[in-house]
Amino acid sequence: MNAHSQDPIRVGMLFSETGVTSVIETSERMGTLLAIEEINDAGGIDGRPLEVVRYDPQSRPVLYREYAERLMAEDGVRIILGCYMTSTRRAVIPVLERWNGLLLYPTVYEGFEYSRHVIYTGAAPNQNSVQLAEFMMRAFGSRVWLLGSDYMYPYESNRIMSDLVLERGGEKVAEQYLPLDARRDDYEAMIRQIKKAAPDFIFSTVVGEGTAMLYRAYADAGLDPSRMPIASLTTCEAEIQQMGAAVAAGHITSAPYFQSVDTEANRRCVAAFHRRFGDDHVTNQCWEAAYFQTHLLANAMRRVGPDSVAALLGALQGSEFEAPQGLVRVDEQNHHCYLRPRIGRADAHGQFEILEEAREWVRPDPYLVSHTLEDWSVKVRLEPSKVEPA
Ligand code: ACM
């Protein structure tokens, strides 16, 4: 083996360490780093370690674009692990197109997108929104109040949820947005309006710092999650740690992974994570996708080498990995992943009790062409009495 063959293989990493989404993106960064350490400890890619080149884009789309450009133009990197908000993914895609790069994107998003330059490892709407709409309407009722942060993911995700609710004979009570930097007062004012209107449930697409403010405003108003919970696709263990377990308890999230998932791979992975980063850190769906996508990438590099994006794309398509949530697979046609939908209810310890889950993975259908819940398995059935308005 010559010296050259042991040179590190550089990959870019763009997760915000500051700004409104830094909590969840820090978690994505730790999931990525855990996987990279595992890969390097196991000998890297044929003896070559992976080396991360990372910048802090501060939760600002313009910096994602600038740093993606720098990674390609100056650092010679073609593969980026990163991005949380849809606005940041969208900022990076033109750079990837220009340089023929590849983004592995570990975040739940609104779907209705395909890029040859992106592998999407978070849930698509047929893997979380459909399940959540069905569950909430069955358990709580059909009048929904939609609220979100003021950018693309919440608009699109709320549109999908309102279509799903209206299609099933439900009612959209209101739809409102607050800026990403909204303050506690803004959330309190919104909660006062919601209390008055008394919908059956709230669908929140608020992300980042606002999440804790929303749930705290809800708790402070004395509202009862067993009667009118907040349902979300993004509020996970990391946000709950920020707001406090008591504030989150009883609210509902739909996601393919929770820290409480009972698989051998998850137990091993959570233990390794705690050994490496400390027991006070929690895992979550974005952490898990960041972790498994890095292993998928390393396996693809072992098969076809690290240098050609075209060859790596070919190797990634159809590839599988035994992830903490269960086996996952990259779809050959749409670049999204087969994932295992689940519905969780936040408990008193900052974890989720898994109420329902798919028996098998669900093929990603990012354009929501069709969907089925035939493989759905109910673990805990909530009482129909919860349907009555507060
Ligand atoms: C998101 O903006 N995809 C959470």
Side-chain angles (χ1 to χ4, degrees), residues 132 136 140-148 158 161 165 171 173-174 176 187 190-206 214-215 217-219 221 223-225 227-233 235 251-253:
L132 188 59
M136 296 308 291
F140 296 98
S142 58
R143 297 175 61 249
V144 59
W145 183 294
L146 303 152
L147 63 89
N158 285 350
M161 181 55 72
V165 168
E171 181 193 339
V173 180
Q176 286 187 326
Y187 288 98
M190 190 184 275
I191 286 291
R192 280 195 294 277
Q193 288 181 49
I194 295 176
K195 190 170 181 176
K196 233 159 118 187
D200 294 328
F201 70 98
I202 300 163
F203 177 57
S204 167
T205 48
V206 170
L214 168 69
Y215 285 69
Y218 177 107
L223 293 168
D224 178 2
R227 299 172 71 82
M228 185 192 71
I230 302 172
S232 169
L233 307 171
T235 303
H251 294 294
I252 306 290
T253 293

Side-chain angles (χ1 to χ4, degrees), residues 127-192:
Q127 296 165 321
N128 58 9
S129 304
V130 172
Q131 293 76 7
L132 188 59
E134 302 249 344
F135 174 81
M136 296 308 291
M137 293 180 74
R138 176 159 34 86
F140 296 98
S142 58
R143 297 175 61 249
V144 59
W145 183 294
L146 303 152
L147 63 89
S149 302
D150 193 6
Y151 75 101
M152 194 183 300
Y153 157 75
Y155 305 149
E156 287 301 302
S157 198
N158 285 350
R159 177 185 62 74
I160 292 165
M161 181 55 72
S162 73
D163 282 355
L164 290 167
V165 168
L166 295 175
E167 229 166 60
R168 289 157 177 74
E171 181 193 339
K172 176 162 91 174
V173 180
E175 181 170 345
Q176 286 187 326
Y177 294 91
L178 286 174
L180 279 161
D181 62 354
R183 293 176 337 187
R184 190 161 172 156
D185 299 357
D186 302 316
Y187 288 98
E188 284 168 355
M190 190 184 275
I191 286 291
R192 280 195 294 277

Side-chain angles (χ1 to χ4, degrees), residues 84-87 89 105 107-110 151 153-154 207 234:
Y84 179 80
M85 282 190 283
T86 282
S87 47
R89 181 188 73 256
Y105 176 59
T107 309
V108 41
Y109 88 110
E110 66 281 2
Y151 75 101
Y153 157 75
V207 305
T234 52

